[in-house]
Amino acid sequence: MRTEPPPTTTTDGGRPAERARAAADETLEDYTLRFAPRSYRRWTPMVVATTALGGIAYMADFSIGAGIGLTHGTGNALAAILLAAVVIFVTGFPLAYYGARYNIDLDLITRGSGFGYYGSVLTSVIFASFTFIFFALEGSIMAQGLKLGLGLPLWLGYLVSTLMVIPLVVYGMKALSKLQVWTTPVWLLLMVGPLVYLVASDPGTVDRFLSYGGSDDGGGGMSTGQVLLGAGVCLSLIAQIGEQIDYLRFMPPKTAANRRAWWTAVVMAGPGWVVLGALKQAIGVFLAVYVLAAAGPTAATEPIRQFTGAFDAMMPSWLVVPLAVALVVISQIKINVTNAYSGSLAWTNSFTRVTRHYPGRMVFVLVNLAFALILMEADMFSFLNSILGFYSNCAIAWIVTVATDIMVNKYLLKLSPQAPEFRRGMLHPVNPVGLVSFVAASGLSIAMYFHALGDTLQPYSPVAAALIAFVLTPLTAALTGGRYYLRRTTDGIDAPHLDADGNPSAATYECHVCRQEFERPDLAACLTHDAVVCSLCLSTDKVGDHVLPAASVGG
């Protein structure tokens, strides 16, 4: 196969091919927008898992749990947390498996799982929104800590919490893996220590926690409506699986030798993140009830108040605030480098596909941080549950649609191609399977959330989002016969896509546009030259010189 391009080869709408090479060079630190090759994936399964789990060290869980518990009571809150955790685990499992097995992020998975090449731009924006909403939440929590510990005004704390992550997020997976591995033990000790001490030294705290009735429950009883309202807030975290996959895509190939470690890492750091998340939410309820009398209902939802109250019971007063502030700062750094990193990937991915121009990931690191800073300055913490309850409807509709396509359409009905596809030219621009399911599920559930269908149905909006997406995804695939998944069934390269173990092939070829070497899954044959083109150069090809035409089986 000839791979040398003619001297006049151009890309990006007639711009010199050197622009494509510059874009390719910039993406190779962490394989932004593309398949993560085997040559880069040198970490063990446990290192990848530890890095991925380090990203869920956020304090928002404590606030979310506290808000639900203080409103609906401990019993309703714990039931809501458990229900949401089960849904998140079940839907997250197939997505985590696909990301780790085929080494692609959630947007690339979404493209081939019902949405199409351009259709998944919509879900990328939703995921990017998730990252800056939770960045703002974590930044607000850190600002509260800096105000208590150092006396910084909140507006300045918001700015500090935003700017401090920029140097850390520039370098991608290599830097993030070191940060997460080294800070996780300290974070765990500071988080778990106070809880263990309170339970051991004062068992009455457990009784007060379990008997707390909340402000809205009218007597401490269980209520289906309140459980579902609480679960809706918790389910706003369902999109967290996207951030887990941003790390899991760097898993090594699954072989007979590492099979057990590979599966353990995928389950633990994929859907398993929600186990720790649910525990933190329950701890948030416990700590909020513990500090409620001293702090009041508003401050009791603030993690810095929760942990200063807990630390105060077990150590000298001069050490309380510094330790609480240290816990908050470590947690904020650990999660917000992930939020900034994943958000920049999502924005860059969407922008590159729509404009066919790669602006550089750092541009969208700054864009994401700007959105987060605006939310913080607007005091989003004060109306947290309303934001999360609304957002959860969109997130649930998206994640359930993709998970259903993988579990049902790919493996049961065989209507969706089992091997994931993400390259331009191989996919239809839009696939109605995902878009119809997502728009119908999110649209109706949002209408329910805003009482458009009556007050009685309002708590059921997250249930509606999940059920509609689950039913419509296979129904639409059956009605369309699965014909909108693939635009082509062959990519023009006469070499297997997978190796003997079912892992993406490690065979390398040179892209004739950017002149970089890439592994087999990231390439397709060129329309106009006897050569191959990488996925990013296909994405930035404005005039379609390199994109293969539509073709039927065998085309």
Side-chain angles (χ1 to χ4, degrees), residues 303-324:
I304 186 66
R305 298 286 185 177
Q306 296 171 4
F307 279 94
T308 52
F311 286 139
D312 190 52
M314 61 181 290
M315 58 186 59
S317 58
W318 62 268
L319 197 54
V320 170
V321 172
L323 276 183

Side-chain angles (χ1 to χ4, degrees), residues 94-95 97-98 102 104 108-115 401-421 427 431 433 473-474 477 485-486:
L95 276 60
Y97 168 75
Y98 252 59
Y102 297 109
I104 53 179
L108 271 59
I109 295 172
T110 300
R111 293 184 197 180
S113 297
F115 283 81
T401 295
V402 177
T404 302
D405 191 84
I406 293 173
M407 292 186 293
V408 179
N409 293 355
K410 291 184 186 299
Y411 284 92
L412 294 180
L413 301 181
K414 311 293 185 182
L415 290 171
S416 176
Q418 187 168 319
E421 183 56 76
L427 294 167
N431 187 341
V433 172
T473 301
Y485 283 96
L486 293 179

